[in-house]
Amino acid sequence: MENYLDAELWKIFPNTKQVGIQVSGGADSALVLYNLAKCTYNTDIFVITGSLKTENYFNIKYAVDVVEEVKRLTGTDRIVEHIFKYQDQKGKTAGTDPNVLYRKRMINKVAKKYKLDLMLNGVTMNPPQGILENGRDIRRDKRMPLCVQDEWLPTFRPFAQTDKRTILKLYKELNIMSLFEKTWSCEGTVDSTKNFAEPCQQCWWCQERQWALEAVI
């Protein structure tokens, strides 16, 4: 799997020179960044971290930690910029998720500004149905396409048809658990995380992470 992007991605997108990757601070996008940094294909990498301006835009800190650990593990010098974008939670339209709308608009603006050829992200599927039902995002229940076309450029999602347990197995196989330990999945409150110093262990994302860990460690 370590050479997956080398072996497959450039066959699909052979003329890629400028690659953007959405890094949230979570385990999935961190693993995509690691694999991208290990590629022998000569591309410039633009890391993009976005956050809504709510009390929990702590993901900026964890994304920085992830990027630094990937640099340490791989020795890459192809990460040319880490771009941070913030968005107020204003103008929500009925029936829409402001996070989804914000990400799409933000990515298109960044892609245009930096003349990106391709975007990567680390979306994964839910655990099998019947597990962690309370609070799950049902959009992640179905098998998702590996590639989607946004307004400005294609987005490749190498882990879109697998789940967190497979992600954790890859961390173990690649011997990069130090990177996993830098990641953060929790969506708890300031109080429940002691000002985002430790996971709340109660939110859906914490439970998914624990479900994955139980199968691997």
Side-chain angles (χ1 to χ4, degrees), residues 70-206:
V70 167
K71 288 179 178 178
R72 187 188 74 80
L73 289 169
T74 65
T76 186
D77 60 358
R78 294 188 294 114
I79 299 176
V80 298
E81 189 164 351
H82 192 166
I83 303 157
F84 302 97
K85 292 292 182 179
Y86 306 89
Q87 176 73 21
D88 288 322
Q89 201 167 0
K90 296 179 180 179
K92 181 180 178 182
T93 303
T96 63
D97 182 338
N99 286 280
V100 173
L101 292 176
Y102 156 63
R103 281 195 296 269
K104 287 183 177 180
R105 292 168 182 165
M106 178 268 290
I107 290 301
N108 282 319
K109 288 180 180 179
V110 171
K112 291 177 182 179
K113 178 177 179 179
Y114 292 90
K115 297 181 172 60
L116 302 182
D117 302 309
L118 179 67
M119 187 67 63
L120 300 181
N121 74 34
V123 66
T124 57
M125 293 185 68
N126 282 328
Q129 291 185 340
I131 299 172
L132 303 181
E133 290 293 335
N134 187 26
R136 71 194 281 140
D137 181 349
I138 61 173
R139 293 172 299 181
R140 296 172 60 224
D141 281 341
K142 296 181 180 179
R143 189 176 177 87
M144 297 176 286
L146 297 177
C147 186
V148 294
Q149 181 67 44
D150 286 330
E151 177 184 340
W152 183 255
L153 79 173
T155 296
F156 189 64
R157 312 182 297 184
F159 301 133
Q161 296 178 359
T162 190
D163 62 34
K164 191 79 75 182
R165 283 194 169 179
T166 300
I167 296 296
L168 261 292
K169 289 176 183 177
L170 290 170
Y171 272 98
K172 292 286 284 187
E173 290 171 6
L174 295 170
N175 194 28
I176 55 170
M177 289 302 289
S178 66
L179 176 58
F180 177 78
E181 290 164 2
K182 297 287 185 182
T183 65
W184 176 271
S185 300
C186 179
E187 291 288 343
T189 65
V190 171
D191 291 337
S192 66
T193 61
K194 298 181 180 178
N195 199 26
F196 309 113
E198 59 186 50
C200 73
Q201 306 297 345
Q202 299 298 319
C203 71
W204 192 92
W205 302 99
C206 278

